[in-house]
């Protein structure tokens, strides 16, 4: 069996989803599981295609995890992604709805479905806010991602 393909997505792919991609990669690599997953992030809009993550996202991931996400480049979520990725994870309900408009039968999770502190809520968009907003997003993404990884590691019949 090949690697499980995981796609995180938000609106522009410069704030929330790059943090989620970086956090997920960090945690699976720390556990020696990097070879079992292929991870990407994208945005439902084309606003920032080709751009690096927002400086706030890069700063908080570097400071909190010692990880560098500056090599990521924004891409737009496509129907091909919705067909090819095993796990699709939206940062909020609006972007989930936009993705479902492209592929109505797609199984799309919300990241905060895995957040024990506020299950099912949206990950707030920190764009235009100060570093404290990026810190808040990091905390939400980090705890949700840890629970998502545990869920993904369970046998499918147990989920």
């Amino acid at each position: 069996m090949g690697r499980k393909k995981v796609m995180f997505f938000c609106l522009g792919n410069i704030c929330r989803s790059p943090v989620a991609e970086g956090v997920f990669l960090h945690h699976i690599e720390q556990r020696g599981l990097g070879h079992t997953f292929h991870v990407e992030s994208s945005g439902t809009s084309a606003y920032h295609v080709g751009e690096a993550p927002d400086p706030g996202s890069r700063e908080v991931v570097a400071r909190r995890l010692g990880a560098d996400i500056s090599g990521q480049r924004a891409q737009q979520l496509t129907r091909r992604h919705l067909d090819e990725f095993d796990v699709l994870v939206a940062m909020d309900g609006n972007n989930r709805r936009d993705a479902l408009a492209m592929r109505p039968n797609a199984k799309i999770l919300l990241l905060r479905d895995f957040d024990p502190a506020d299950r099912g809520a949206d990950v707030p968009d920190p764009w235009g806010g100060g570093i404290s907003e990026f810190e808040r997003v990091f905390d939400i993404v980090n705890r949700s991602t840890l629970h998502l990884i545990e869920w993904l590691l369970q046998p499918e019949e147990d989920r």
Side-chain angles (χ1 to χ4, degrees), residues 83-140:
D83 291 338
E84 292 180 3
F85 278 75
D86 303 303
V87 182
L88 300 150
V89 185
M91 297 297 111
D92 62 51
N94 288 335
N95 286 295
R96 182 178 184 272
R97 279 188 293 280
D98 289 345
L100 286 170
M102 285 191 280
R103 180 69 71 217
N105 62 343
K107 182 171 193 254
I108 301 172
L109 307 170
L110 285 172
L111 182 61
R112 289 192 82 179
D113 285 345
F114 300 92
D115 184 354
D118 199 359
R119 195 168 307 282
D122 289 345
V123 176
D125 191 346
W127 191 79
I131 196 65
S132 65
E133 291 302 308
F134 287 91
E135 292 282 354
R136 179 175 172 227
V137 164
F138 178 89
D139 289 337
I140 291 167

